[in-house]
Amino acid sequence: QVQLVESGGGSVQVGGSLRLECAVSGPLDSAYCMAWFRHPTGGERKWVSSLKPDGSSDYTSSVQGRFTISRDSAKNTLLLQMNSVNPDDTAMYYCAYGPGRGSTCFGFTTWGQGIQVTVSS
């Protein structure tokens, strides 16, 4: 089965940068989506960004222009480059995997264990 392991979280100051990584292993579908979600303490888990089978990506409006999702194919790793962070970015971040086709994701079936990101002023 597919396994996801996040790394790269930690503490960062307002305006700083951080890069999250998600190592992917196991039998992957021929076409699949990868995504990042985040869950702030006391809040709900929300979608952040998706990378789709055709290579296109989407972002929630609050991170558009600040975060970049990408894949390192050589390392089979999903990345999330976070720039110009602010306190609202503080959350547990989760990597997710699921089936897709073209520019469409059909839901996420596998989740990582999560990693904490804390932005301090």
Side-chain angles (χ1 to χ4, degrees):
Q1 65 187 42
V2 174
Q3 292 187 324
L4 309 174
V5 179
E6 300 96 337
S7 63
S11 296
V12 59
Q13 291 191 326
V14 169
S17 297
L18 203 62
R19 188 175 81 166
L20 303 184
E21 299 189 3
C22 174
V24 184
S25 61
L28 303 179
D29 294 323
S30 57
Y32 59 90
C33 284
M34 297 288 303
W36 290 97
F37 288 76
R38 64 187 181 186
H39 191 166
T41 301
E44 298 180 347
R45 185 173 64 187
K46 293 186 177 180
W47 169 78
V48 175
S49 178
S50 294
L51 184 60
K52 293 169 277 186
D54 67 355
S56 63
S57 57
D58 288 325
Y59 301 88
T60 189
S61 58
S62 63
V63 309
Q64 182 79 44
R66 301 189 297 120
F67 290 10
T68 303
I69 191 171
S70 63
R71 178 185 292 122
D72 184 334
S73 298
K75 297 181 179 179
N76 215 15
T77 300
L78 180 73
L79 306 173
L80 184 68
Q81 179 66 42
M82 306 168 60
N83 297 329
S84 302
V85 298
N86 60 60
D88 290 338
D89 296 322
T90 295
M92 186 74 80
Y93 282 72
Y94 295 88
C95 172
Y97 165 93
R101 184 172 64 243
S103 61
T104 303
C105 296
F106 301 137
F108 297 97
T109 56
T110 304
W111 299 81
Q113 81 286 354
I115 194 159
Q116 180 67 36
V117 171
T118 302
V119 181
S120 58
S121 56

